[in-house]
Amino acid sequence: MKTYEFTLVLSGFDELTEELEDRLFEAGCDDAVLGIRDQTPYLDFDRESGSATEAVLSAIEAAERSGVGIEVRRVEPDDLVSAAEIGGRTGRSRESIRLLATGKRGPGGFPRPVSGLKRRTRLWRWSEVADWLSNHDLADDTAELELARAIAAVNGALDLRRSRELPGRDLLDRLVG
Amino acid sequence: MPRPVHPNKHIEEALQYAESNGWRIEKRARGHAWGRAYCSGRERGACMFSVWSTPRVPENHARQIRRQVDRCTHGG
């Protein structure tokens, strides 16, 4: 068993109430802290589980089955990251990340950004960056890599779930099979 | 009047850490939440969170409380 640290970004309430607290606690969110920051409600978990995917999914199910109309919108730390965010997560400067990404420093082969063609701020997938760091012995936290992959997949599923009303949504099966 | 002390010492220490960073702790009368914590930000609903009476792992809950305090950007 490992302890996975992640946050569920929620919607469905904008203040803390006793009913909300009690229902979430009884639904099994007693390993999270329930909070609101800048009007965004969230549950911040330290969940012990056999796998990162199980940890995140069981937390989402607990929150949404609490019977208080909560929707889980996103799991953080998010998979899409800027160079500055990569720096923050790895204890390096933004400039150091830029040098690694351009191959001017380090082993080269840094993952390609997934955006940046139409805007200045380039974004990478943290799951790919964490994988690259791990493969080059620049990071040693395998639980973190596992969690990064799980969060990327779960956020994709949450986005897909939100597109329920999209006309021709079943065509998306061609992509996800 | 001093605020009531949380029965778990790890959580109580984390609450004192929050208070030393300008947070206000409010004891609740009943329910699973022992109390609530509010940051010093004056914007509407800056930061707040619930503190459990009996979390699954008290040491983790204490760590979570410190994490919320450290993530707050509203200043003391």
Side-chain angles (χ1 to χ4, degrees), chain A residues 10-11 17 25 46 51 58 60 76 101 104-105 123-124 145 164 174:
Chain A
L10 312 175
S11 67
T17 66
F25 185 95
D46 284 83
S51 82
S58 64
I60 291 174
E76 292 188 339
K104 288 181 180 145
R105 188 189 287 172
L123 297 174
W124 284 263
L145 175 59
R164 262 186 212 111
R174 289 190 207 161

Side-chain angles (χ1 to χ4, degrees), chain B residues 15-59:
Chain B
L15 293 177
Q16 287 175 17
Y17 174 73
E19 285 174 319
S20 72
N21 280 276
W23 288 60
R24 181 169 56 85
I25 312 297
E26 189 182 275
K27 174 82 173 72
R28 303 285 304 166
R30 59 205 172 95
H32 286 295
W34 176 88
R36 292 181 193 148
Y38 300 87
C39 85
S40 60
R42 296 191 197 285
E43 305 94 296
R44 193 176 143 263
C47 290
M48 63 191 85
F49 62 86
S50 307
V51 180
W52 301 131
S53 294
T54 54
R56 200 176 299 180
V57 184
E59 290 84 348

Side-chain angles (χ1 to χ4, degrees), chain A:
Chain A
M1 298 285 268
K2 288 178 193 160
T3 301
Y4 298 95
E5 191 182 311
F6 57 91
T7 305
L8 302 183
V9 179
L10 312 175
S11 67
F13 63 95
D14 55 12
E15 59 182 343
L16 300 174
T17 66
E18 191 174 310
E19 188 197 12
L20 192 65
E21 291 164 337
D22 287 351
R23 294 279 199 101
L24 283 168
F25 185 95
E26 282 159 16
C29 297
D30 56 333
D31 55 351
V33 69
L34 169 68
I36 300 176
R37 185 179 304 127
D38 295 324
Q39 300 175 48
T40 301
Y42 65 89
L43 280 161
D44 192 20
F45 281 86
D46 284 83
R47 175 152 289 210
E48 288 182 17
S49 178
S51 82
T53 309
E54 177 57 29
V56 175
L57 282 181
S58 64
I60 291 174
E61 285 163 356
E64 294 192 339
R65 286 179 191 164
S66 59
V68 280
I70 286 176
E71 183 199 352
V72 174
R73 298 181 60 80
R74 197 124 193 113
V75 187
E76 292 188 339
D78 198 71
D79 196 42
L80 289 178
V81 287
S82 65
E85 178 69 15
I86 296 171
R89 291 188 193 185
T90 57
R92 297 162 193 269
S93 68
R94 190 178 173 284
E95 177 63 9
S96 153
I97 299 304
R98 198 187 65 77
L99 292 171
L100 286 173
T102 53
K104 288 181 180 145
R105 188 189 287 172
F110 198 86
R112 301 299 308 155
V114 291
S115 75
L117 289 178
K118 287 194 175 177
R119 57 175 170 186
R120 277 178 64 87
T121 306
R122 296 199 294 173
L123 297 174
W124 284 263
R125 288 208 174 278
W126 173 244
S127 47
E128 294 177 358
V129 173
D131 193 35
W132 182 87
L133 290 167
S134 169
N135 286 339
H136 293 91
D137 296 323
L138 296 167
D140 51 8
D141 192 343
T142 55
E144 193 187 13
L145 175 59
E146 189 205 354
L147 182 63
R149 286 176 176 153
I151 288 177
V154 170
N155 276 334
L158 289 174
D159 285 344
L160 201 54
R161 185 174 76 165
R162 204 170 299 122
S163 69
R164 262 186 212 111
E165 306 300 320
L166 178 76
R169 181 182 182 273
D170 51 331
L171 298 178
L172 294 179
D173 289 347
R174 289 190 207 161
L175 285 178
V176 294

